[in-house]
Amino acid sequence: MSRNLVEKSKISFCPGKYCGYLINSTNCGACQRGYRVNSEGICQLCDETLSLYDFMYIVFMTLLALSFHWYFINRLQKKKQREFTLVKQTILYFLSILEILLAFIFTLLTFPPIGKLTMNVCHVKLLSDFYPMFHNPIVNYRKKLRCSYEVVYPLQSAIFVLYTYASVIMLLIRPFFVSIIHQKFISTSIYSALHFYPCLLLLHALCGGLIYFSFPILTITSAVLLNAIHFTLIANGENDWLPFVRKLCGNIQNWIIYLIHVILLLCGLISLTQFENEYHLILLPTVFLPGLLYILLYKFTATSTIRVTTN
């Protein structure tokens, strides 16, 4: 008999928070892939429908990878301003969106029900569901029963599959464009992605549970802060309100970045409220509020309004 299984006849119940009786078996241990122990201590198939919160969690992790792509594209543009034109930057933006979108779709199609843009899941109940290895019971103070498996199937493995798909698609698409347009700037962007994707995988492996329970607040907070930082960089010390508005409206890239911040704020709002009732729809227009408040109140925060007092 396996070291990680205990016979049902030797114990009156299956010990531990995540140990269960296997299907058609009297052995107690870790459930099979795609199963989770229920309240009766029996491994049950993960066949619950994907909730809006779980879906938005996958969307958040997808947008996180996309934001890293765009961050390194902007760094590349600053380093090579003469060679890196707006057209080249737009090409990389388009390629990164295409890669992430395809990876997201393929990930949904990979998990049961296979071939459909949805997933059968085991819903998350506790933070410990992401870290079952810390809850392996010790039977009779002698034998440690290892019941480590993917309790929140497939929310953990889906992110690993998502980033793997994104990496493979990137390695297939971008070299193809390099061979067509003969531009080395695309290959430079590939190297940066090959560095941050392992970091994202490690982040998910270690902090997946923490991110799952906090990503709505993280999304809303980061969207508001990034919007304020972006507008501050546009102002660049400008004291007057009208020149600041002209700088903001005169560059289409500023509007694209502002739209991205609005989308992030909208994702955070949807994740936080989940639109459980119709009153939550009233909150939708508030996604434009941080940017509008910054623009309208800018003249009161300009450095020219600060008065220097002397004793």
Side-chain angles (χ1 to χ4, degrees), residues 29-191:
C31 294
Q32 299 170 336
R33 178 175 171 81
Y35 287 77
R36 174 179 178 159
V37 63
N38 57 18
S39 58
E40 298 176 356
I42 300 174
C43 293
Q44 186 177 4
L45 179 66
C46 295
D47 56 357
E48 298 173 295
T49 57
L50 186 68
S51 66
L52 179 59
Y53 189 91
D54 294 342
F55 178 79
M56 293 307 300
Y57 170 68
I58 301 174
V59 171
F60 171 79
M61 299 302 290
T62 305
L63 293 177
L64 184 63
L66 183 61
S67 63
F68 270 86
H69 272 298
W70 288 3
Y71 169 74
F72 283 102
I73 291 172
N74 285 330
R75 283 194 61 181
L76 183 61
Q77 189 270 338
K78 291 179 180 179
K79 287 183 178 180
K80 301 180 179 181
Q81 292 182 356
R82 294 181 180 180
E83 303 176 8
F84 204 76
T85 62
L86 181 61
V87 175
K88 296 178 180 180
Q89 190 175 6
T90 306
I91 291 175
L92 282 181
Y93 282 145
F94 172 76
L95 289 178
S96 60
I97 294 174
L98 178 63
E99 294 158 5
I100 292 296
L101 181 60
L102 289 176
F104 179 77
I105 294 174
F106 289 161
T107 301
L108 293 179
L109 296 175
T110 299
F111 292 92
I114 298 175
K116 295 184 179 180
L117 292 176
T118 185
M119 291 180 181
N120 292 335
V121 301
C122 282
H123 289 156
V124 181
K125 299 177 182 178
L126 299 169
L127 177 63
S128 58
D129 292 350
F130 284 86
Y131 310 101
M133 71 288 294
F134 298 119
H135 299 273
N136 293 325
I138 300 178
V139 181
N140 297 327
Y141 303 98
R142 293 181 179 180
K143 179 181 179 181
K144 190 171 186 178
L145 189 59
R146 302 190 182 278
C147 296
S148 300
Y149 60 96
E150 189 178 5
V151 178
V152 293
Y153 177 87
L155 291 181
Q156 274 187 313
S157 56
I159 306 303
F160 290 110
V161 172
L162 173 68
Y163 291 157
T164 303
Y165 274 140
S167 302
V168 173
I169 294 172
M170 178 193 66
L171 293 175
L172 292 176
I173 292 180
R174 296 199 191 184
F176 176 73
F177 274 84
V178 172
S179 62
I180 293 178
I181 62 179
H182 304 288
Q183 295 291 339
K184 294 183 179 180
F185 71 92
I186 297 181
S187 59
T188 306
S189 66
I190 296 176
Y191 300 142

Side-chain angles (χ1 to χ4, degrees), residues 241-307:
W241 181 77
L242 191 57
F244 163 70
V245 175
R246 287 176 179 173
K247 286 183 179 180
L248 176 63
C249 299
N251 191 342
I252 190 172
Q253 186 176 5
N254 294 332
W255 286 103
I256 294 174
I257 296 175
Y258 174 65
L259 181 61
I260 293 171
H261 294 157
V262 169
I263 294 174
L264 284 176
L265 193 57
L266 180 62
C267 291
L269 193 63
I270 293 173
S271 305
L272 191 63
T273 62
Q274 301 183 55
F275 292 142
E276 294 177 348
N277 56 64
E278 61 275 9
Y279 297 106
H280 290 152
L281 296 175
I282 303 175
L283 299 175
L284 286 179
T286 60
V287 297
F288 300 99
L289 194 59
L292 292 176
L293 285 177
Y294 192 99
I295 295 172
L296 295 175
L297 301 177
Y298 175 78
K299 61 180 180 180
F300 300 108
T301 60
T303 55
S304 59
T305 61
I306 300 175
R307 297 179 180 178

Side-chain angles (χ1 to χ4, degrees), residues 1-32 37 40-43 137 139 143-149:
M1 182 180 296
S2 175
R3 183 179 299 176
N4 296 328
L5 298 175
V6 176
E7 290 183 1
K8 189 174 182 179
S9 59
K10 293 183 180 180
I11 53 176
S12 58
F13 63 93
C14 199
K17 184 182 291 187
Y18 299 109
C19 299
Y21 293 117
L22 308 181
I23 301 297
N24 299 324
S25 175
T26 58
N27 296 325
C28 175
C31 294
Q32 299 170 336
V37 63
E40 298 176 356
I42 300 174
C43 293
V139 181
K143 179 181 179 181
K144 190 171 186 178
L145 189 59
R146 302 190 182 278
C147 296
S148 300
Y149 60 96

Side-chain angles (χ1 to χ4, degrees), residues 53 57 60-61 64 203 207-227 261 264-269 271-272:
Y53 189 91
Y57 170 68
F60 171 79
M61 299 302 290
L64 184 63
L203 176 68
C207 307
L210 298 174
I211 296 174
Y212 178 85
F213 283 99
S214 61
F215 82 90
I217 302 300
L218 289 175
T219 306
I220 294 173
T221 305
S222 60
V224 174
L225 291 178
L226 289 174
N227 186 79
H261 294 157
L264 284 176
L265 193 57
L266 180 62
C267 291
L269 193 63
S271 305
L272 191 63

